[in-house]
Amino acid sequence: MNTQSQKLTFSSSRSTFHRLIYDFRTAPEILASVLTLLKRHNASSVAITGHSLGAALALLDSVYLPLHLPAGTYVRMVGYGMPRVGNSAFADYVDGMHSADGAIATVTHINNKKDPIAIIPGRFMGFGHPAGEVHIQDDPGNSWVACPGHDNPSPLCSVGDVPNVIQSNLLDHIGPYDDGIFMGLC
């Protein structure tokens, strides 16, 4: 992966655009690294995690990797404060890959209290979450509730608890999550 910093310019040059796209393609490099680590450690499972934009990228990796890893490799994705990534067809596809029967991967996305990032982009734009939400409640015990289905409207789940960004709290995006852990902003 190219780790050198690169100055971005607003040029209409086609070659500049293609160079930027090429430099930021990482899926093949991630796959190569995962394959190397699986072999080195004689492993058959992969855990992927991320927060915010990192959770969205982790979700995409949880779809990409099972298509390219050896048969029998299990992929588990846990994302924190994940925005919606695709439309309902994408969410259905993710659910199909990650179903309990013969699952090759699982997805859990943990949303904290009134975090606005978990409800954007809006459903009115056609975006939807896959199944697997766990919503941390705004109660004295910060209890965790599993929310079945896509964008569950229950008041115990993100969509029901935070119907729009005006009723959200951006500070909930950074935590606390597990045992008082706070994340940085993306």
Side-chain angles (χ1 to χ4, degrees):
M1 179 157 67
N2 183 355
T3 57
Q4 294 179 340
S5 104
Q6 183 174 13
K7 181 178 179 183
L8 302 179
T9 59
F10 295 100
S11 167
S12 61
S13 166
R14 186 175 174 98
S15 62
T16 300
F17 173 77
H18 283 108
R19 233 182 12 253
L20 290 174
I21 296 301
Y22 178 79
D23 287 346
F24 291 113
R25 287 188 308 184
T26 60
E29 292 162 352
I30 291 170
L31 175 61
S33 295
V34 169
L35 287 169
T36 298
L37 289 168
L38 286 171
K39 185 175 180 180
R40 180 180 303 152
H41 297 284
N42 195 26
S44 60
S45 66
V46 177
I48 307 167
T49 189
H51 173 252
S52 198
L53 175 59
L57 294 171
L59 177 65
L60 294 174
D61 282 338
S62 80
V63 171
Y64 176 79
L65 288 174
L67 300 172
H68 301 281
L69 292 175
T73 305
Y74 178 75
V75 176
R76 176 179 167 93
M77 178 271 183
V78 178
Y80 295 87
M82 182 176 77
R84 293 183 180 111
V85 175
N87 62 16
S88 61
F90 175 76
D92 289 338
Y93 180 79
V94 171
D95 291 348
M97 282 187 80
H98 304 92
S99 67
D101 297 331
I104 54 174
T106 59
V107 167
T108 303
H109 49 104
I110 300 167
N111 299 317
N112 189 40
K113 303 174 187 171
K114 295 194 177 293
D115 179 359
I117 304 306
I119 63 164
I120 61 171
R123 291 183 299 164
F124 70 93
M125 297 173 66
F127 286 84
H129 274 300
E133 177 188 6
V134 176
H135 188 227
I136 302 172
Q137 304 300 298
D138 195 6
D139 61 24
N142 292 324
S143 56
W144 293 38
V145 174
C147 300
H150 297 184
D151 291 308
N152 190 319
S154 163
L156 297 175
C157 302
S158 290
V159 170
D161 188 30
V162 193
N164 59 61
V165 294
I166 294 168
Q167 297 176 6
S168 69
N169 181 350
L170 185 57
L171 293 177
D172 286 339
H173 185 59
I174 61 172
Y177 291 93
D178 302 320
D179 295 325
I181 295 174
F182 286 84
M183 312 280 186
L185 292 175
C186 53

